Amino acid sequence: MLIASYNRPGMGDVLVTMVNNGSGEQTVTTKQNVTEIKDAQGQLLGYNFQNASQLLPDLEGHRGQVVLTEDQVATLNQAIQEAGFATPLVADLSPKFVVGYVSEMEDHPKSDHLHITKVDLGDETVQIVCGSPNIENHVKVIVAKVGAMMPSGQIIWPGELVGVESDGMICAGRELNLKNASDKPGCVILPADFGQPGDAFDFEKGNQLF
């Protein structure tokens, strides 16, 4: 998993990359224009690259999440190596917003409004705890996979909801800033012919749903 974000407010010409979710004490080491961030156990959480547009001129004009190509990751890895850090980044070109099919659904045993779903993503089935009031069994939905960055900047990490594992998020239209999406709670129920499980979600097509 590789999540990258460029030109965050207040940060300027900095590319932030994350490979793991960390909490608690962190170790931050800066060499040259590269900052390595590790957790207390020594696990790599990510790197920050200062003056990032000098490394990757294509970043100019971008803001927010960036999907890095293999060539761009190779350039970053060269900077990591030259700075004296050992762990390279690995390119991740897989789509993070995909069509999912709810193959199973049951009520959460400790909640009166949450549901535990099994969602078919084509090459895998994931468990997602969902609180949308309109979620149903045997429907197609939009799934933000682990590693997705929402328009709000929220990153989807593996987690738990009321003690039950949840790996991803079933999305509402407003959460994805889809055109004319309702502000009322509820996930997007896709038409039956809207792609196959695991297909990358087509945002342009999605903007015609409402």
Side-chain angles (χ1 to χ4, degrees):
M1 179 171 57
L2 172 59
I3 306 166
S5 178
Y6 176 67
N7 196 17
R8 287 181 173 180
M11 296 190 69
D13 191 10
V14 176
L15 178 70
V16 177
T17 65
M18 291 169 280
V19 297
N20 285 296
N21 184 24
S23 59
E25 186 176 347
Q26 298 178 353
T27 299
V28 178
T29 307
T30 300
K31 300 178 183 179
Q32 298 181 27
N33 285 323
V34 182
T35 298
E36 178 192 67
I37 304 168
K38 291 184 173 182
D39 64 15
Q41 288 72 45
Q43 175 181 243
L44 178 68
L45 301 180
Y47 294 102
N48 293 348
F49 299 86
Q50 290 78 33
N51 300 320
S53 62
Q54 295 180 20
L55 279 174
L56 304 176
D58 291 345
L59 291 177
E60 287 285 1
H62 284 272
R63 186 166 187 168
Q65 185 173 20
V66 178
V67 179
L68 297 170
T69 67
E70 291 183 348
D71 287 344
Q72 288 174 323
V73 172
T75 298
L76 296 178
N77 281 336
Q78 183 177 350
I80 289 169
Q81 183 179 27
E82 291 175 353
F85 296 116
T87 307
L89 298 173
V90 177
D92 182 1
L93 303 179
S94 62
K96 294 297 181 285
F97 294 94
V98 300
V99 176
Y101 177 77
V102 181
S103 58
E104 297 179 33
M105 188 177 79
E106 62 183 59
D107 292 338
H108 193 298
K110 297 182 180 180
S111 171
D112 60 1
H113 71 283
L114 295 176
H115 304 279
I116 303 170
T117 67
K118 302 289 186 183
V119 185
D120 178 6
L121 301 182
D123 60 351
E124 63 176 333
T125 297
V126 298
Q127 178 171 285
I128 300 176
V129 179
C130 178
S132 292
N134 64 329
I135 188 65
E136 299 177 14
N137 206 355
H138 307 306
V139 294
K140 288 182 178 178
V141 292
I142 309 167
V143 173
K145 297 176 66 176
V146 169
M149 180 182 289
M150 303 295 289
S152 65
Q154 175 192 4
I155 296 173
I156 305 301
W157 298 106
E160 291 185 355
L161 281 175
V162 196
V164 175
E165 179 182 345
S166 184
D167 293 319
M169 177 178 176
I170 296 174
C171 300
R174 56 187 169 79
E175 292 170 325
L176 299 178
N177 291 342
L178 295 182
K179 187 175 180 181
N180 298 322
S182 172
D183 287 333
K184 294 181 180 179
C187 65
V188 177
I189 305 296
L190 294 171
D193 61 354
F194 196 106
Q196 297 301 313
D199 286 353
F201 176 68
D202 186 335
F203 278 85
E204 183 175 346
K205 189 177 176 181
N207 280 324
Q208 309 303 315
L209 289 171
F210 303 98

